[in-house]
Amino acid sequence: MTRTLTLLDGPARLEIEVAGPIDRPSVAPGDLGWDLKPEGLCQGDICIPLRATTIADGRIALTNLAGLLARPVVIDAAGAVAALGTSAARRAEQMHGLAAPDFTLPDPQGNPVSLSDFGRRKRLLLAWSSW
């Protein structure tokens, strides 16, 4: 039995047909832009070697694919939605500069203060919430 699953992958939103239980969906690699070749699961020049047991009936478990890509995945079976997170390597690349985006918030007296007001001086940001 196949069902439709909404897969969120960064800005992309894909409606894909999955096999098996919706909480453990099995997907066709081609639906996600991957090709199954003798050298493994490939996307352009990048190939990931596979064990023979990884692919069954031309499909791969979404959790297995996420593991091969070193990306976290979360699946909401009730909502038929899954989301692939960013790989650890990509997150490290994004944090390499450690530069925070500029933003403006009110100080305790209600005056607007921007992060850029401090120039290149070091700053400590504390966040608190009542909940």
Side-chain angles (χ1 to χ4, degrees), residues 10-83:
R13 179 187 175 111
L14 306 168
E15 301 292 329
I16 57 173
E17 294 296 317
V18 299
I22 201 73
D23 60 335
R24 292 186 315 275
S26 178
V27 299
D31 290 347
L32 304 176
W34 292 88
D35 297 313
L36 188 56
K37 296 182 179 178
E39 53 269 33
L41 203 55
C42 302
Q43 193 174 56
D45 294 338
I46 300 170
C47 289
I48 301 168
L50 297 174
R51 293 190 320 246
T53 57
T54 306
I55 297 286
D57 298 327
R59 302 178 83 78
I60 184 170
L62 183 59
T63 53
N64 289 354
L65 178 62
L68 290 169
L69 299 174
R71 296 176 66 182
V73 64
V74 62
I75 300 168
D76 175 10
V81 175

